[in-house]
Amino acid sequence: MESGLLDTAAAASLCPAVGGPRRAGSTASFLNCACSSRDCRVSASYSIGRMLSGVRSAARKKLFRNDPADLLGISNWLDSSGTGGHHHWWTALENNFVLEASEDEYGGVIVDADRLPADTAAFARSLTASLSYWKSVGKKGVWLKLPADRAEFVPFAVKEGFKYHHAEEAYVMLTYWIPDEPCMLPANASHQVGVGGFVINDQMEVLVVQEKYCGSLLDGAWKLPTGFILASEEIYTGASREVKEETGVDTEFVDVVAFRHAHNVAFQKSDLFFICMLRPVSSEIKIDETEIQAAKWMPLEEFVKQPFIQEDHMFQKIMDICLQRLRKCYCGLTAHHVVSRFDGRASTLYYNVEEPEDVNCSAA
């Protein structure tokens, strides 16, 4: 049998009168049983029970209830003669117990979030039996995505041993690692990505902002427009977008002049922050009043002399790099679109070009 749990010999042991070919295109064997006795039905249920021997005793009581023949309503599949028509008992087991799932890249399964049971009792029974089945066939990890409208399922999954992986607005993802060995499932995303735009015009003025909500150390300070990259957004487009949203000024990306890597920042995540040099293509300022107090073009010299820059080694170093870039003594990382044969996906590779004139930079 393709399910790997019940071969023909085992099926024959359920009833002395088993016959009938496998239905074309089906992954389960549909066997007819001519036996009409209650003993036959009990024997069948017992044999199926042995296949689920990995399920805890308490769980098996839930599965088989009072009547051994009543396997999640298996008596409903038995006609008045007890033959069961064209349905095999394992079909009832497979359709009612094992959660719908597909293979993942790590030897495990991904549960189909769109085909979960409708109520908690059915989900609890199915999850227990599914874990037993996946263990018996050598699966490793289980990905269980529970939509917001199935939030009541979470306690049952946690009780079975599932661990939280990550959560989004519409769902929570849980995982279960089966083997008694270190978990090989990839962890949740560990970083957030931010950008800052260094925008300077022909009059050597820097585009700066004052934020409405900031720490006391930056109270009253003029800083570069900054923000976070959105999902599936490029660094260079994110930098221009943030500048546009906060100040109303349109810009063109030039290059990444530096980036900072910090740890244990918001929500204990690591943080990547990219400083991008941008060329202004407009000058009129129109601030986003929800988060920006003010914005203006400030002379570069005045901007650099601010105490929060002069007294902070990191900010001072960032400004030194930006000034070196303006003097054409430093080359930043420009964006280049590439496609890898490894996965066939388009991506952006940031690097220095070999010919300095390509970025108007005199330093090789």
Side-chain angles (χ1 to χ4, degrees):
M1 181 177 178
E2 294 176 13
S3 67
L5 290 180
L6 185 66
D7 57 16
T8 305
S13 68
L14 301 180
C15 176
V18 173
R22 187 168 11 187
R23 181 179 298 175
S26 173
T27 58
S29 295
F30 290 84
L31 304 175
N32 294 323
C33 177
C35 178
S36 60
S37 67
R38 177 177 175 81
D39 292 338
C40 175
R41 298 198 299 271
V42 171
S43 174
S45 296
Y46 174 74
S47 297
I48 294 174
R50 286 191 303 166
M51 290 188 288
L52 289 178
S53 59
V55 183
R56 294 192 301 269
S57 176
R60 285 202 304 271
K61 289 180 180 178
K62 293 181 181 179
L63 300 180
F64 291 95
R65 298 198 288 256
N66 296 326
D67 186 352
D70 189 9
L71 179 61
L72 252 192
I74 194 171
S75 58
N76 294 332
W77 271 265
L78 299 174
D79 57 25
S80 58
S81 64
T83 64
H86 294 291
H87 297 281
H88 186 267
W89 295 284
W90 173 243
T91 305
L93 177 67
E94 192 173 49
N95 289 344
N96 290 279
F97 287 99
V98 180
L99 295 170
E100 293 284 347
S102 58
E103 303 285 333
D104 71 359
E105 300 177 4
Y106 310 97
V109 295
I110 304 172
V111 177
D112 189 340
D114 296 325
R115 303 188 68 179
L116 294 170
D119 61 85
T120 55
F123 173 75
R125 289 194 298 268
S126 294
L127 189 61
T128 300
S130 296
L131 287 174
S132 179
Y133 169 71
W134 291 327
K135 290 175 183 178
S136 72
V137 295
K139 295 303 178 185
K140 294 185 176 182
V142 181
W143 296 90
L144 178 62
K145 179 180 179 181
L146 295 179
D149 60 358
R150 292 289 188 271
E152 67 274 16
F153 291 175
V154 173
F156 295 95
V158 172
K159 188 175 181 180
E160 284 287 355
F162 277 81
K163 298 184 181 302
Y164 295 108
H165 187 269
H166 69 274
E168 295 292 343
E169 183 177 348
Y171 70 87
V172 59
M173 180 71 78
L174 301 99
T175 59
Y176 186 102
W177 183 249
I178 296 175
D180 186 17
E181 58 188 45
C183 179
M184 299 301 293
L185 297 178
N188 182 26
S190 59
H191 286 66
Q192 60 183 10
V193 180
V195 287
F198 183 75
V199 186
I200 188 163
N201 60 21
D202 294 337
Q203 288 75 45
M204 297 300 287
E205 296 173 322
V206 183
L207 182 61
V208 294
V209 299
Q210 282 185 338
E211 295 182 342
K212 276 189 174 181
Y213 312 101
C214 60
S216 58
L217 294 177
L218 289 178
D219 188 29
W222 294 93
K223 58 182 285 294
L224 302 179
T226 60
F228 289 107
I229 292 294
L230 303 177
S232 302
E233 184 177 40
E234 299 282 356
I235 292 171
Y236 64 89
T237 56
S240 292
R241 175 188 54 77
E242 282 293 341
V243 170
K244 175 68 174 179
E245 289 178 355
E246 293 189 0
T247 70
V249 175
D250 295 303
T251 61
E252 290 179 348
F253 173 81
V254 178
D255 51 27
V256 173
V257 294
F259 70 90
R260 181 209 66 177
H261 195 194
H263 306 286
N264 296 320
V265 190
F267 310 109
Q268 303 304 306
K269 299 291 185 180
S270 295
D271 182 272
L272 285 168
F273 182 72
F274 293 85
I275 307 298
C276 301
M277 179 162 285
L278 305 172
R279 182 183 299 111
V281 294
S282 69
S283 59
E284 182 180 358
I285 293 176
K286 184 178 180 181
I287 66 170
D288 175 9
E289 297 183 354
T290 60
E291 59 176 318
I292 300 300
Q293 184 69 35
K296 67 178 181 178
W297 292 99
M298 175 182 281
L300 176 61
E301 184 178 359
E302 181 183 347
F303 174 69
V304 174
K305 286 183 178 180
Q306 292 185 97
F308 90 93
I309 292 179
Q310 292 297 316
E311 298 171 4
D312 187 282
H313 178 71
M314 185 186 70
F315 285 122
Q316 192 174 53
K317 189 62 180 177
I318 290 174
M319 282 299 98
D320 287 344
I321 294 171
C322 290
L323 291 174
Q324 291 298 316
R325 177 64 183 85
L326 289 174
R327 294 169 184 152
K328 301 180 182 179
C329 298
Y330 177 89
C331 286
L333 305 176
T334 55
H336 303 266
H337 299 290
V338 297
V339 176
S340 172
R341 291 184 62 186
F342 178 75
D343 57 9
R345 295 177 180 272
S347 59
T348 305
L349 186 65
Y350 292 82
Y351 60 89
N352 296 122
V353 295
E354 295 181 1
E355 298 80 9
E357 61 270 20
D358 286 357
V359 289
N360 194 24
C361 175
S362 60

